[in-house]
Structures are given as structure tokens and as C-alpha cells.
Amino acid sequence: MFHRFMVSLVALACACSAIAAEPPRVGLVLAGGGARGIAHAGVIRALEEMQVPVHAVAGTSMGALVGGLYASGMDADDLSTVVENMDWERAFQDGVERSEQPQRRKADDYDYPTQIRFSLKDGSVSMPLGFIQGQQVQQIIKELMRDVAEVRNFDELPIPYRAVATDIETGQAYVFDRGNVVTAMRASMSLPGLLAPVEHNGLLLIDGGIANNVPVNVARDMGVDVVIVVDIGTPLRDRGEINSVVAVADQMVGFLTRKNSEQQLATLTDTDILVAPDLTGIGMLGFDQAEEIYRRGYETAMALGPQLASLTVDDTDWSRYLAARRVARPTDRPIDLIAVHNNSRVSDDIIRIRLSQQVGEPLDREQLLVDIADIYALDYWEIIDFDVRQEDSINVLHINARERAWGDDRLKFGLNLITDMDGASEFNLGTSYLWQGLNGLGGELYARGQLGDTVDISGEFYQPLDLYSRFFVVPYLGYKDYDVFTIGPEFDPAQTLGNWRVREYKGELAAGVNLRRRTQLRLGARQVSGEYRIDVSSSEALPEDDYREGSVYGNIRYDGLDNLFFPTHGGFLFAEYEAVREGMGADRSFERWQAFGQAAFSFGADSANTVSLTARTGQSTGATSEPQNFYQLGGLFNVSGLPQNYFSGRQMAFVMAQYQRRLSDNSVLPINLPVYAGFSIEGGQLWTDRSDVDFGDLVGAGSIYLGIDSPVGPLFLAYGHSEQDLSAIYLSLGWPFLTNQARIGR
């Protein structure tokens, strides 16, 4: 009996010893903090080098992103690769680059190049819930998490995982422990005002940092013994740093996150470990400092080696831990069915026809992402996403296209202001209204109204004729009221004869074809009825009369510019020929044609240096000297140094070479204000008759300028000088050469 008792006692002691030797379960808590969260990847590198196993991960915002990637099976090397190769600027932009957008969407820049978007919904003005809808960032996360795409219980991930978001209605924390892990990560990152909220289970969720930026309690609820907390919270700003609306908003968010962070940090025990990298001088948007942020996170964690030593395991246990975390990349199974979920008025077939994926073929994820970007660029939907699920033993590819919650229309406001600081100025204020997706093929109504020195009221209905939007028809009605200045011979502004006021009504019917995304051809007919009356005249009287024009025309537009006003690459071409004929109701027969071209080339780091070449020409052959047939020159980038649109003629030629350099760094935000400095070399001339055309007569001019690509349009401060010793200082906001571009239209 005693013997058995001693044996049992020894066995119990051995068991207790084994239990005591079992390492504690470690929970990794990753805080939110924007770009500063890149430090999490450096900390994880240090933990792996010290062989510290992690048994649970809880993260908020950027911590939810890095934590989710780690929980999915990525190791420190994988995370380092993601951090180094991630195009953060691209990730936080919706849609595709402008040069790859459909022609119809590029045309939105021609009238009012504003970035601020409104809609009319239920009788009131509405706006998107975020500057970024998250289309790109969601697709990037989805691709990074593809190995665990089918996991719905987050405890079944290689490392159990939790993501924290905030219910915008209650302000309470919402903890994701199951569902779609991509949705969880995206919701946790929805910084108010920047990234749009995420709808989930009837809730509207925003960035988890508002409610719980350092989710220590969430990790403890996962059954861990020790927590390693990585706190990268952005410090509050000093008074001198609070110098903008953005700074005020950031400070308010900082108050909320700091308060709840301190509450969680106060719960740490002596056995818990706090990693707080010194990220002084690095803001929430400092993604360009990724390498430095990563280094500071790594070095801070390595310096805590003595504290972390108790959590390390030997080589055998570490190898076993790594093996348990490995995830085999799932084979993309053949797709048996494609289901489109589209709640807009636009036909499902518009989506289907743009999908390259074939039923019966394995899922081609890379091509699918390209196709979705192409569909999203049509601008009918708020978000387009995909999911692959096995249902009743078949593999179903679900395409989810959600219409914009704030409305199918778009209301834009714009202005054009230019002054030479010497009394000559032009000011126009306008608005445009675009109602998209009116029918299954994507018909849209566009109307604009402009008041000021130039009155322009017009409307058109654009109707695609096929699912690819290759063929279309456009009826148009418009009214325009504008000035045409005229000067005496010898190109001398001192010999100003006066100006006409031209008023005309125009109707058009055009049919066209879109050749992929960059090229459009149109054929159409025009009817114009107008008058020109003397507005200001010198002693020599100017004629006055009414006129009628009936014509047929054809034009071609190529638009491959990445930015209409501050391009770094691409080209633009618009050319039109118009035959005005008496048989179509015109007072007389003549021809009119014009062309406008631009090419841009960049060089240097981040394409900061750009050279662009521009040429414009126009002729009214056989027309009389009526002002509606005149082209105009004068003003900034239009023979700089002269007043705006100060002289005119029936034959026009203009050339310009520009160099500009971007002075500000690129930003991940779509609302940044890039600043440029540059200069132009110009030459232009106008002639009365074709026989007078002599390119040796071109008047030389040039300018130096500062430019800002602002949310309300391009802003220029410039000095211009012509070879006639005429100079001007220009302040321009909006279209810098409105009248000359007006005929390009949409």
C-alpha cells in the first residue's frame, strides 16, 4: 500500500512539473495608428527571431490589418515583403487611373474639374460617407488573404484572430470573431471621413480605434495567459500644430483613441509586456517612411529581449509551432456558376459581359481583379466585390455590385476665375448635374448651367446602344452668350476696335463609337441660330447681324492623360471638321476645322519632372468675318502676357512647351494638394484669311508659375511676358483657358 502511494506521489509530482514547464499562452495585441502600424511587422520579426510563439491575435485598424495577415499564416518574411512592396498611395485610391477610365468619365473633367461630389437624394443634398469607398484596399486585402478565404470561424485560422470595429450608431466596440475575415479587417480600418463605413449584419461600422484602440480585453477573452501589447498610438498635437480643419479632426480622434487606450493599458499586469516604439516625427499618413517605422518597431522589441525570454521556446517546439501555422494554398477550383448580385438599374449583363472568367474553368483571380477594376471604372456602383463559395457541391462565383448609397446622380459646382491684376478679368460660376444609370444600358442625363462673363446653359442625353457601350447616340441642346474681342491690324492690342456679344442657340444630334477607353469617334449634325451685337466699340463701327448655320461634322477624341491639368504621362488629341451648308439652312456654305493636341513625358524620381508639348490650330475657310467664326488668343498659357482672349481671327495657330516640377510629396489621401512650379514657352498668331497664314509671324511669349491641383480645380499664380513687351501677373482658378476649350465639349 505504501509503495503504491509513493509511486502515485512521484507520478503526480512529475505531472505537476510538466504542467509547470508548459509555456504560457501568448496573446498579441496590435493597436491602431495608421502608417505607424507598420511597426507591428517589425515587432513580429523580433518575436520570431526570439522564438516567441503567439497563440492569439487581437487588432484594431492598422493593427487589425497586420494582425490578420499574421494570423492567416504569413511569417515575418512575408509581412516584410508586403510592407516593402505595398503601393500605399494606390491602395487608398478608388477606381483606376484616369488614363484607363472610359471616355465618358474622363469628359467630366472638361467642364468642372472639381473633386468634390454631391448627390440629390430624397429632396436633399447628400455626399459619400467617406472620401475613399475602399474598392482598392478591399481587393488588396482579399488577395493577401486568399489562402484563408473560406474560413468563417476566426478560431480556425492558423492563429485565432479578432478584429475590433466601432458601431457608429452606439459608439460601442464590435468584435469580429467569425464571418468574412476581409470584411472584418476592412471595417476595422474605416477611419471616419477617410474610408467609408462598412455595413455588416445591419450595423454601420467604422474604425475600431474610436471604441477600443488597444484591445487588451479582447485578447484576454481568447484565453491567453500573457499579452504582448504593441502601442503605436499617435500622440496629441501641440497647439502650434493645430492649424487646419484636418488637424482639428485628427486631434478629436486622438482624444478618443488616447482615452480608451489608457483604460486598456491600465489593466496590464506585471507579467504582461508593453512594446511602445518611439515613433516621434511620424504621422498617421507617413507611409513613405515605412522602412524607418519597421526598423523602430523591430529594435524596440529586440531591446525587450530579457522580458520576453520567459516566453521563448526551444528549437523543437518552435519548429512544431511553425509547422502548425503553415497553410497550404488552396487550389482554385473550376467555377460551375457565376451569380451577379446587382441592385442598380444597370443591367446585370453589363457586368457579365466584362468578365473573362468562363464556367468550367479554374478561377483566374488575377484576371478577375482586372475585370472588376474595369467594371468599377464605369462608375455605376459604390463597391464591386467577389466571393467564391461551395453551394450544394458546386462552386459559385458571386459578383456583388452595390449601388451608391448616396444616390445615382452627381451634382458638381465649379468656377473659372482669371485676372491679370491690371483690370482685365473673367469670372464664371456654374453647376452641372449628371444622372447616371437611367436604364439597363447605362443611359445618362447631363445638364450644366454657367453664369458670368460667359453664359452657357446646355443639356444632353447620352444613350449607349450595346452592353459594351461601344456605340451611342447623343442629342444636345444649348444656349451660349459670350464676348469676342477684336483688335486692329498688325496684332497690336493698343488698336482695340471693341467687342461683340454673341448669343446663339444650338441643337445637335450625334452618333459615335468608343474605341476602348481612350478613343472616341463622333458624326453628327448641328443647327445654330444666333446673333452678334456690339458690346463696346471704338469710333469705327462694328457690324451687327443675325446668323443661321446648318452643318454636319465629325470629330475624334483621344484622351490618355493621367491628369488633365498636371499630367505626368499620356496624350490628348481632339480634332473636328465641320461642313456648313446652305442646303442645311445656313446663310452661306463654308468649312470649319480645329485641332488640339498635348503630349506629356516625365522623368526623375517619382516622375516629379514633366515636359509637355501642346499645339492648337483652327481655320474657318470661306467664312465671312463674323465673330462666331473667330478663334481667340491671349491670356495664361494662351500667349501669356496678354489679357484674356484679347484678339481674334478666322485662322489660328498656337504652340507651347512646358516644364513643371512637383514640389510636394505624394500623399495616400485623395484630397492632397500637390504643388507644382514650372515655366512655359509659347508662340501664337491669328490671321484673317488663309492666304495670310505665315508661321514666321508667331508671337513669342512665356510664363513662370506656381500651380496647385486643388479639390475645386487647378489654381495658378503666374507671370507672363510676350515679345511685344506686354506683361501680366495672372491668378487663375478653374479652367485657365475656358473659351478656347469650350468647343471641345464632352
Side-chain angles (χ1 to χ4, degrees):
M1 177 70 74
F2 179 77
H3 177 73
R4 288 199 299 268
F5 174 76
M6 291 302 295
V7 171
S8 299
L9 187 62
V10 171
L12 179 62
C14 291
C16 291
S17 178
I19 292 172
E22 187 74 20
R25 287 177 53 79
V26 177
L28 182 62
V29 179
L30 304 179
R36 296 159 68 94
I38 295 172
H40 295 318
V43 171
I44 290 171
R45 165 71 73 183
L47 294 178
E48 288 199 349
E49 289 185 4
M50 288 184 278
Q51 299 187 176
V52 176
V54 173
H55 304 92
V57 178
T60 295
S61 194
M62 192 68 173
L65 174 63
V66 177
L69 296 177
Y70 192 51
S72 73
M74 287 190 179
D75 60 18
D77 290 338
D78 297 325
L79 290 176
S80 177
T81 299
V82 170
V83 169
E84 292 174 0
N85 297 330
M86 176 73 79
D87 185 350
W88 296 102
E89 182 181 357
R90 184 76 190 99
F92 289 100
Q93 305 289 331
D94 287 322
V96 299
E97 182 185 271
R98 183 185 182 279
S99 61
E100 297 302 318
Q101 293 174 5
Q103 276 283 350
R104 190 66 181 173
R105 299 286 68 84
K106 295 173 187 174
D108 296 342
D109 298 336
Y110 302 157
D111 288 336
Y112 303 121
T114 61
Q115 303 170 24
I116 303 173
R117 183 168 185 164
F118 304 92
S119 291
L120 296 176
K121 186 178 181 181
D122 301 327
S124 61
V125 176
S126 63
M127 296 182 64
L129 298 181
F131 282 104
I132 307 168
Q133 302 311 304
Q135 176 69 19
Q136 283 295 327
V137 70
Q138 181 160 305
Q139 298 308 315
I140 290 172
I141 297 173
K142 180 182 290 290
E143 189 61 16
L144 292 172
M145 299 292 287
R146 62 180 294 185
D147 294 351
V148 294
E150 297 185 11
V151 175
R152 290 297 179 263
N153 185 341
F154 295 177
D155 286 337
E156 297 175 2
L157 291 168
I159 302 176
Y161 169 71
R162 301 290 186 267
V164 180
T166 303
D167 183 344
I168 197 172
E169 290 187 88
T170 66
Q172 298 299 310
Y174 182 91
V175 180
F176 282 91
D177 62 359
R178 64 189 63 250
N180 188 315
V181 68
V182 174
T183 300
M185 297 163 71
R186 166 66 179 85
S188 186
M189 298 172 59
S190 300
L191 187 65
L194 179 60
L195 268 172
V198 171
E199 292 186 39
H200 175 73
N201 289 345
L203 303 177
L204 197 61
L205 302 176
I206 59 173
D207 195 292
I210 304 299
N212 191 352
N213 198 50
V214 188
V216 175
N217 61 327
V218 176
R220 294 202 194 281
D221 289 343
M222 298 173 74
V224 300
D225 304 307
V226 176
V227 293
I228 301 173
V229 178
V230 187
D231 181 22
I232 44 87
T234 305
L236 296 176
R237 298 171 181 256
D238 297 329
R239 181 168 179 174
E241 298 174 307
I242 305 174
N243 51 16
S244 68
V245 173
V246 174
V248 172
D250 184 54
Q251 187 81 337
M252 293 175 65
V253 173
F255 282 135
L256 295 172
T257 58
R258 199 67 252 162
K259 182 177 181 179
N260 68 59
S261 295
E262 290 173 353
Q263 291 173 346
Q264 290 293 314
L265 294 173
T267 69
L268 297 181
T269 68
D270 292 341
T271 59
D272 299 322
I273 298 172
L274 175 62
V275 185
D278 181 4
L279 299 174
T280 303
I282 300 174
M284 291 184 63
L285 300 177
F287 292 96
D288 58 327
Q289 298 174 270
E291 184 176 342
E292 175 65 14
I293 300 170
Y294 183 95
R295 183 188 65 82
R296 294 191 193 185
Y298 171 78
E299 292 180 352
T300 302
M302 291 299 293
L304 296 172
Q307 294 174 250
L308 292 165
S310 62
L311 305 178
T312 62
V313 298
D314 59 29
D315 292 345
T316 300
D317 287 341
W318 182 248
S319 297
R320 188 180 300 115
Y321 168 76
L322 293 179
R325 291 186 60 234
R326 292 193 186 98
V327 177
R329 169 154 290 189
T331 302
D332 287 321
R333 299 183 298 268
I335 298 300
D336 302 307
L337 178 67
I338 300 175
V340 174
H341 310 279
N342 165 37
N343 64 348
S344 73
R345 286 187 295 266
V346 177
S347 171
D348 295 354
D349 290 333
I350 284 183
I351 297 175
R352 293 182 185 276
I353 203 168
R354 288 170 170 81
L355 296 174
S356 304
Q357 181 67 49
Q358 299 296 312
V359 172
E361 296 292 329
L363 179 67
D364 187 342
R365 288 179 174 268
E366 184 175 342
Q367 183 59 50
L368 180 59
L369 291 173
V370 173
D371 293 342
I372 285 179
D374 183 46
I375 296 167
Y376 187 77
L378 297 174
D379 200 32
Y380 298 131
W381 300 278
E382 180 178 340
I383 288 288
I384 299 179
D385 197 9
F386 75 93
D387 194 17
V388 180
R389 298 194 296 269
Q390 192 169 45
E391 302 172 1
D392 297 329
S393 301
I394 65 172
N395 301 311
V396 183
L397 170 62
H398 294 271
I399 305 295
N400 305 302
R402 187 175 74 236
E403 69 174 350
R404 290 185 290 265
W406 61 92
D408 295 322
D409 56 352
R410 183 176 66 217
L411 182 66
K412 293 176 71 174
F413 299 94
L415 57 85
N416 164 255
L417 167 65
I418 185 165
T419 176
D420 62 3
M421 307 292 189
D422 194 31
S425 63
E426 184 171 331
F427 177 77
N428 300 283
L429 181 65
T431 183
S432 66
Y433 180 76
L434 175 65
W435 193 2
Q436 297 174 269
L438 295 178
N439 51 47
L441 292 177
E444 55 186 57
L445 175 67
Y446 180 79
R448 72 186 299 270
Q450 176 179 295
L451 298 176
D453 290 281
T454 298
V455 178
D456 193 344
I457 301 170
S458 62
E460 66 178 39
F461 183 76
Y462 177 86
Q463 180 59 61
L465 301 178
D466 66 313
L467 294 171
Y468 277 114
S469 299
R470 290 169 296 191
F471 303 98
F472 62 88
V473 294
V474 186
Y476 166 94
L477 291 173
Y479 167 78
K480 194 169 184 179
D481 187 337
Y482 59 99
D483 284 319
V484 175
F485 293 88
T486 183
I487 63 174
E490 307 301 326
F491 199 81
D492 184 3
Q495 302 182 41
T496 302
L497 299 181
N499 70 279
W500 289 281
R501 192 70 181 177
V502 180
R503 301 175 182 89
E504 63 181 26
Y505 299 88
K506 181 186 295 184
E508 295 184 13
L509 179 62
V513 57
N514 292 307
L515 304 177
R516 301 184 66 81
R517 301 180 182 91
R518 300 187 178 188
T519 306
Q520 183 182 97
L521 303 175
R522 288 195 186 195
L523 295 174
R526 291 190 180 116
Q527 286 289 325
V528 179
S529 176
E531 64 176 26
Y532 51 94
R533 299 289 186 262
I534 298 172
D535 194 33
V536 177
S537 179
S538 67
S539 57
E540 182 177 349
L542 298 176
E544 298 181 325
D545 206 351
D546 300 337
Y547 64 91
R548 291 183 61 86
E549 293 181 1
S551 63
V552 292
Y553 70 91
N555 61 46
I556 180 173
R557 178 186 291 111
Y558 172 88
D559 189 346
L561 293 175
D562 65 328
N563 186 296
L564 196 58
F565 303 99
F566 302 97
T568 62
H569 62 268
F572 181 92
L573 172 67
F574 177 81
E576 180 176 279
Y577 171 80
E578 182 179 13
V580 183
R581 293 292 182 264
E582 293 182 34
M584 297 186 67
D587 297 329
R588 62 191 59 81
S589 297
F590 63 94
E591 284 77 40
R592 190 160 50 210
W593 67 271
Q594 61 173 326
F596 172 84
Q598 182 179 10
F601 316 87
S602 292
F603 58 94
D606 297 324
S607 300
N609 304 281
T610 300
V611 173
S612 64
L613 304 175
T614 301
R616 296 200 309 276
T617 186
Q619 292 190 15
S620 297
T621 305
T624 59
S625 297
E626 296 175 327
Q628 76 273 16
N629 298 318
F630 286 178
Y631 301 93
Q632 296 181 271
L633 289 176
L636 179 61
F637 308 141
N638 199 34
V639 187
S640 299
L642 299 182
Q644 186 78 357
N645 299 319
Y646 205 64
F647 56 102
S648 57
R650 294 200 304 269
Q651 323 292 321
M652 179 266 292
F654 176 81
V655 293
M656 176 173 64
Q658 281 178 280
Y659 166 81
Q660 69 183 23
R661 177 175 176 83
R662 179 167 178 154
L663 303 180
S664 58
D665 295 330
N666 290 329
S667 170
V668 300
L669 291 179
I671 55 173
N672 66 321
L673 297 173
V675 179
Y676 301 84
F679 65 86
S680 68
I681 301 172
E682 310 162 28
Q685 183 61 279
L686 289 155
W687 302 271
T688 301
D689 298 312
R690 188 171 183 177
S691 59
D692 300 329
V693 175
D694 183 352
F695 292 104
D697 296 339
L698 293 182
V699 175
S703 72
I704 56 174
Y705 62 88
L706 285 174
I708 299 176
D709 195 2
S710 81
V712 295
L715 172 64
F716 292 98
L717 178 62
Y719 169 78
H721 184 80
S722 76
E723 68 177 72
Q724 295 182 324
D725 287 331
L726 293 174
S727 303
I729 297 175
Y730 299 101
L731 176 64
S732 174
L733 178 61
W735 261 108
F737 32 87
L738 178 71
T739 302
N740 280 282
Q741 300 301 318
R743 288 184 180 175
I744 290 180
R746 293 176 60 83

